[in-house]
Amino acid sequence: MGAQPVMIQRLPSASRQAAQLPIFILLAAMRWASWVVGAKVAVADLAIAEVVSGRFLFAAALLWAMVLLSRQPVRLGQAKRPLLMGMLDPGLVSLLIVWALQHTSAVNASVFWALMPLIMPIAGRLVLKEAINPMVVAGALLAVTGAVMLVAVNQAAGEGNLFGDLLAVSGVLCAVASSLLARRVAQQQGRAMVTTAWQMTMALMVGGVALMVLEQPGETVERVGQGPLLLMLYLGMFATAGPFFLFNFAMRHLPVGRISLFASLVGPLSVPMAALFLGETIQGLEIAAIAVVMLGVFLPTLIGPERLALFRRPIRSRPRGG
């Protein structure tokens, strides 16, 4: 009898939390979109390694400060897989994407993330044995169709580059592998804040190695002005630490196939940002492609398991006679 009121109090909270997860991932997608545009601005004044390492420095500092303030337990034995996650994404992913941004448009680099929802349900089934939701697959196909439309429009306008696009695709594949690891870590370890802090620490190490190899540290520090420094502060704390924490938090409650759908939003969300801050053009076909992507992302929410079950019910035949 004493435990029953506790159960009643917890259920609504858990239900509200589950309902808010798509909102959390949408916020993460918005911040990731701003990172792509911000990185495009940053590479005009800074080297690739500068942008990558500076971003992770601020992100790791913020996350470890939050871990210390919240007094969350940190176990070195549980750091191996989060560190591997960080090496893949955002470590190698950032190097590949920032490199790609030097050769292709910000929109092209963003929309290739729409490949993730097409790959992730299959990868989740093969690696994690997760069930494939038909609505997620349908939504992924719509999202990829919209992404292909966006890329075609941008290439026709002369804003795309094959080498840059290949670099972006390579980054997406690294992100897929990291997402599979993130799902397993979230299920077995939890503590998204600690996981993300380890992840950013390894990403910082990857960026530091790239900085030492590609750029002289002394020259790098001297060339960083106040404007680029403030931009890196934003990219690290708000466009990196925040969305990766939200992503790792959601990974404990939603399958990778569903979460990866929201990666498709990075491209559409970056279009108005790229137009506003980079002067890239927006065409009517781009707006149509964005609508297709948005429909694909929210299709599993619009047609949930309850509505899908209605189509699976067998039609009962009427009894013969009276």
Side-chain angles (χ1 to χ4, degrees), residues 5 35 79 88 95 113 120 250 293:
W35 170 77
L88 292 170
L95 287 172
W113 288 99
M120 286 307 302
V293 174

PDB file of all heavy atoms in Angstrom, residues 5 35 79 88 95 113 120 250 293:
ATOM      1  N   PRO A   5       1.300   4.962  -3.926  1.00  0.00           N
ATOM      2  CA  PRO A   5       1.303   6.376  -4.290  1.00  0.00           C
ATOM      3  C   PRO A   5       2.551   6.805  -5.051  1.00  0.00           C
ATOM      4  O   PRO A   5       2.483   7.654  -5.929  1.00  0.00           O
ATOM      5  CB  PRO A   5       1.226   7.085  -2.922  1.00  0.00           C
ATOM      6  CG  PRO A   5       0.600   6.075  -2.010  1.00  0.00           C
ATOM      7  CD  PRO A   5       1.112   4.762  -2.488  1.00  0.00           C
ATOM      8  N   TRP A  35      25.509  24.592 -36.228  1.00  0.00           N
ATOM      9  CA  TRP A  35      26.943  24.299 -36.250  1.00  0.00           C
ATOM     10  C   TRP A  35      27.466  24.214 -37.671  1.00  0.00           C
ATOM     11  O   TRP A  35      28.560  24.713 -37.972  1.00  0.00           O
ATOM     12  CB  TRP A  35      27.237  22.973 -35.536  1.00  0.00           C
ATOM     13  CG  TRP A  35      28.657  22.550 -35.752  1.00  0.00           C
ATOM     14  CD1 TRP A  35      29.763  23.061 -35.127  1.00  0.00           C
ATOM     15  CD2 TRP A  35      29.140  21.584 -36.689  1.00  0.00           C
ATOM     16  NE1 TRP A  35      30.898  22.460 -35.608  1.00  0.00           N
ATOM     17  CE2 TRP A  35      30.555  21.557 -36.573  1.00  0.00           C
ATOM     18  CE3 TRP A  35      28.530  20.742 -37.605  1.00  0.00           C
ATOM     19  CZ2 TRP A  35      31.346  20.715 -37.337  1.00  0.00           C
ATOM     20  CZ3 TRP A  35      29.317  19.903 -38.370  1.00  0.00           C
ATOM     21  CH2 TRP A  35      30.708  19.892 -38.235  1.00  0.00           C
ATOM     22  N   ALA A  79      34.557   4.037 -19.504  1.00  0.00           N
ATOM     23  CA  ALA A  79      34.914   5.111 -20.440  1.00  0.00           C
ATOM     24  C   ALA A  79      35.309   4.610 -21.825  1.00  0.00           C
ATOM     25  O   ALA A  79      35.373   5.400 -22.769  1.00  0.00           O
ATOM     26  CB  ALA A  79      36.058   5.944 -19.859  1.00  0.00           C
ATOM     27  N   LEU A  88      34.917   8.582 -33.236  1.00  0.00           N
ATOM     28  CA  LEU A  88      34.155   8.524 -34.482  1.00  0.00           C
ATOM     29  C   LEU A  88      33.329   9.789 -34.695  1.00  0.00           C
ATOM     30  O   LEU A  88      33.403  10.434 -35.746  1.00  0.00           O
ATOM     31  CB  LEU A  88      33.240   7.296 -34.463  1.00  0.00           C
ATOM     32  CG  LEU A  88      33.919   5.928 -34.515  1.00  0.00           C
ATOM     33  CD1 LEU A  88      32.919   4.818 -34.239  1.00  0.00           C
ATOM     34  CD2 LEU A  88      34.587   5.712 -35.861  1.00  0.00           C
ATOM     35  N   LEU A  95      36.136  16.489 -38.557  1.00  0.00           N
ATOM     36  CA  LEU A  95      37.228  16.701 -39.506  1.00  0.00           C
ATOM     37  C   LEU A  95      36.741  16.527 -40.942  1.00  0.00           C
ATOM     38  O   LEU A  95      37.050  17.327 -41.822  1.00  0.00           O
ATOM     39  CB  LEU A  95      38.372  15.738 -39.220  1.00  0.00           C
ATOM     40  CG  LEU A  95      39.212  16.019 -37.970  1.00  0.00           C
ATOM     41  CD1 LEU A  95      40.188  14.874 -37.719  1.00  0.00           C
ATOM     42  CD2 LEU A  95      39.972  17.333 -38.124  1.00  0.00           C
ATOM     43  N   TRP A 113      23.164  14.146 -44.200  1.00  0.00           N
ATOM     44  CA  TRP A 113      22.762  13.489 -42.953  1.00  0.00           C
ATOM     45  C   TRP A 113      21.425  12.786 -43.106  1.00  0.00           C
ATOM     46  O   TRP A 113      21.056  11.953 -42.279  1.00  0.00           O
ATOM     47  CB  TRP A 113      22.698  14.516 -41.822  1.00  0.00           C
ATOM     48  CG  TRP A 113      24.054  14.959 -41.396  1.00  0.00           C
ATOM     49  CD1 TRP A 113      24.699  16.090 -41.768  1.00  0.00           C
ATOM     50  CD2 TRP A 113      24.960  14.253 -40.545  1.00  0.00           C
ATOM     51  NE1 TRP A 113      25.955  16.140 -41.201  1.00  0.00           N
ATOM     52  CE2 TRP A 113      26.135  15.026 -40.443  1.00  0.00           C
ATOM     53  CE3 TRP A 113      24.884  13.038 -39.853  1.00  0.00           C
ATOM     54  CZ2 TRP A 113      27.228  14.633 -39.682  1.00  0.00           C
ATOM     55  CZ3 TRP A 113      25.974  12.651 -39.088  1.00  0.00           C
ATOM     56  CH2 TRP A 113      27.132  13.442 -39.014  1.00  0.00           C
ATOM     57  N   MET A 120      20.220   3.665 -40.649  1.00  0.00           N
ATOM     58  CA  MET A 120      20.159   3.305 -39.242  1.00  0.00           C
ATOM     59  C   MET A 120      19.154   2.207 -38.903  1.00  0.00           C
ATOM     60  O   MET A 120      19.462   1.333 -38.086  1.00  0.00           O
ATOM     61  CB  MET A 120      19.883   4.540 -38.393  1.00  0.00           C
ATOM     62  CG  MET A 120      21.069   5.475 -38.252  1.00  0.00           C
ATOM     63  SD  MET A 120      22.584   4.655 -37.656  1.00  0.00           S
ATOM     64  CE  MET A 120      22.022   3.969 -36.109  1.00  0.00           C
ATOM     65  N   ALA A 250      18.317  10.790 -25.294  1.00  0.00           N
ATOM     66  CA  ALA A 250      17.214  10.165 -26.026  1.00  0.00           C
ATOM     67  C   ALA A 250      17.534   8.739 -26.421  1.00  0.00           C
ATOM     68  O   ALA A 250      16.625   7.907 -26.559  1.00  0.00           O
ATOM     69  CB  ALA A 250      16.878  10.993 -27.267  1.00  0.00           C
ATOM     70  N   VAL A 293      11.078  16.296 -46.661  1.00  0.00           N
ATOM     71  CA  VAL A 293      11.891  15.821 -45.546  1.00  0.00           C
ATOM     72  C   VAL A 293      11.124  15.907 -44.239  1.00  0.00           C
ATOM     73  O   VAL A 293      11.117  14.967 -43.427  1.00  0.00           O
ATOM     74  CB  VAL A 293      13.208  16.613 -45.453  1.00  0.00           C
ATOM     75  CG1 VAL A 293      13.982  16.224 -44.195  1.00  0.00           C
ATOM     76  CG2 VAL A 293      14.067  16.350 -46.680  1.00  0.00           C
TER      77      VAL A 293
END
